[in-house]
Amino acid sequence: MKMSSLFVQTLREVPSDAEVVSHQLLLRGGYMRKLAGGIYTYLPLMWRVLKKIENIVREEMDKEGAQELLMPIVQPKELWEQSGRWAVYGKELMRLQDRHGKEMALGPTHEEVITALARDEIRSYRQLPVNLYQIQNKFRDEIRPRFGLLRGREFIMKDAYSFDVDEAGLDIAYEKMARAYTKIFLRCGLETRMVRSDSGAIGGSVSHEFMVLTKTDSGENDVLYCDKCSYAANSNNATSKMLPAEMTGRFEKAEIVDTPHTRTIEELAEFLKIPSTIICKALVYIADSKPAIALIRGDQNVEEIKLQNALGANEIRIATSEEILELMNKNGFSAEPGFIGPKGMKNVKIVADLSVKDLKNFVVGINQTDKHLVGANWGVDIELPELFDIRLAQVGEGCPECDGHLMITKGIEVGNIFKLGTKYSKAMNATFTAEDGKEKPFIMGCYGIGISRTAAAAVERYHDEHGIKWPIQIAPYHVVVVPVSDQDEQQMKVASDIYEKLQKAGVEVVLDDRAERAGVKFKDADLIGFPYRITAGKTLSEGLVEFKIRETGEVMKLTPDEAVEKMIEAVKAVS
RNA sequence: CGGGAUGUAGCGCAGCUUGGUAGCGCACCUCGCUUGGGACGAGGGGGUCGCAGGUUCAAAUCCUGUCAUCCCGACCA
């Protein structure tokens, strides 16, 4: 490809609405343009990158026996009603009507469609196991699209779905995908960490995310990882060993004491001269429009995703003061926020974090303003509610799996794998005839890779102040050949010659034949991020060209033939 | 959904306070000159000032509405 005819416009200035570096560089480098919030046109350079990632994904998926298909992006409401998700998916599901008023949705994911397909097509255990995947545009009407391709509304995703006769089969399918994913990202030049995570709205039990640890501030997930072992988890799912703390209060008998103006844990601890570790904190949440109380040790914080799961709710939020007063009224109390406690509360779900279990002679709200119960004990003064892990794990706490400590970093989730089990097959009545002649629901798994997000993650991971430094495996082109001046016949001749030889050898090469000054060509080459640059310029007087590696900045002076040879080798090394 | 901000040429911005018919840099086109890290000179094209109302002799500027975009938050009693 000649640069003069390549469809690319680089920008000198950073578009003002681009915040993260991948967004900025992809706009500046002429890789994409925004059409609407979270919706982008992928220009030729970007499309080449995306196709490369897609092809790596295809190869590794196929190696594990998965088969590619393509499902529709517009899906009928009926399917979503069968799975129950029409009601629970929320506003992220882009709903629309056709001319007859029939309700449809743009597919944010394809569990419904694939499950319906399996229901219709797979009759017997003899047809199992099977793993089907597609690479396709998804649409999620994100509450707040941002970060360019990292959180768009329309994006490209690979989604695979496995069907098995039993859990053991699912385990095998899951392992295969975990293996494939690790290889895929490595081949894209990205090191990933497989972290356990919440399974969210998709449902199911076990799930892992593949995170690119960016080592910068970009990335929207907090990842806690052990400094000693391989433990890593999304902060919404991480567990930890809490640091040693006092669990026993100095109040030896239960009594109600005055604690004026102690609305926060800090104020209460200060007033009673006790550590916050012997206070049982009560938080009122609204879970799917019903109130619920969460108890946790005073010095700890609730992880809302965990709480949401413990409550079996689709959506939770902290209650307002008004809602708390209303709840108090219903239970015959009138306490203000800050003095809430579990005792005497009826018609409200109460869950407790594991951190409160071992509290003795502790302090807790008693639903009377300016008063607390001190010296309380479970089973004596207050019934111990059902226990869950609803605590936010924090940096510095102990690793749950070894004696190491937890560290935190930002991560970009580029892939995820879920064990779905029978959630969809049961709901949608998708069954097969098992070996024993009985009808059984499929045991399913689903496995996603954000193709466009992976490209953005690569930019986040590999760039400098001049531009992108693509790993060669996913770079739009392998190398740019730059004659310093298009007026110089010798330079043009040598450059064209190298260009043609590389092309014949199958190297993806761009010849910068533009009538631009050298500075412009170099700046563009760095910005676009060609992994290699071969320059025909002043060194030609010695019969040499420059061979420059973008990643390291290393420059070598070689004869044109040596440069061609070296370039061919560089490409061979990764294919 | 709440809070903050911004919409003026492809991109980055000024002009708005104090209304008088739109400007700068980059990019683009032509010519000249230049050719190792985003040159220079001359000339040129391109904007119903987000949109819709209103006030006024006159609106980018003041008022109202609306749409869009970006940032922050979705928060621990």
Side-chain angles (χ1 to χ4, degrees), chain A residues 162 164 166-174 419 421 443-445 447:
Chain A
S162 68
D164 280 279
D166 54 22
E167 291 288 338
L170 172 58
D171 289 346
I172 293 168
Y174 195 82
K419 288 187 185 177
I443 310 295
M444 294 172 57
Y447 317 92

Side-chain angles (χ1 to χ4, degrees), chain A residues 151-187:
Chain A
R151 190 167 204 80
R153 291 197 291 175
E154 184 171 329
F155 55 95
I156 303 174
M157 182 167 158
K158 186 279 314 182
D159 47 325
Y161 306 89
S162 68
F163 297 86
D164 280 279
V165 297
D166 54 22
E167 291 288 338
L170 172 58
D171 289 346
I172 293 168
Y174 195 82
E175 282 309 311
K176 281 184 172 182
M177 288 297 103
R179 192 163 64 213
Y181 275 33
T182 306
K183 277 200 224 159
I184 286 167
F185 294 119
L186 268 181
R187 283 187 60 190

Side-chain angles (χ1 to χ4, degrees), chain A residues 109 315 427 512:
Chain A
T109 174
E315 200 180 2
D512 196 344

Side-chain angles (χ1 to χ4, degrees), chain A residues 178 188 444 542:
Chain A
C188 290
M444 294 172 57
E542 310 160 48

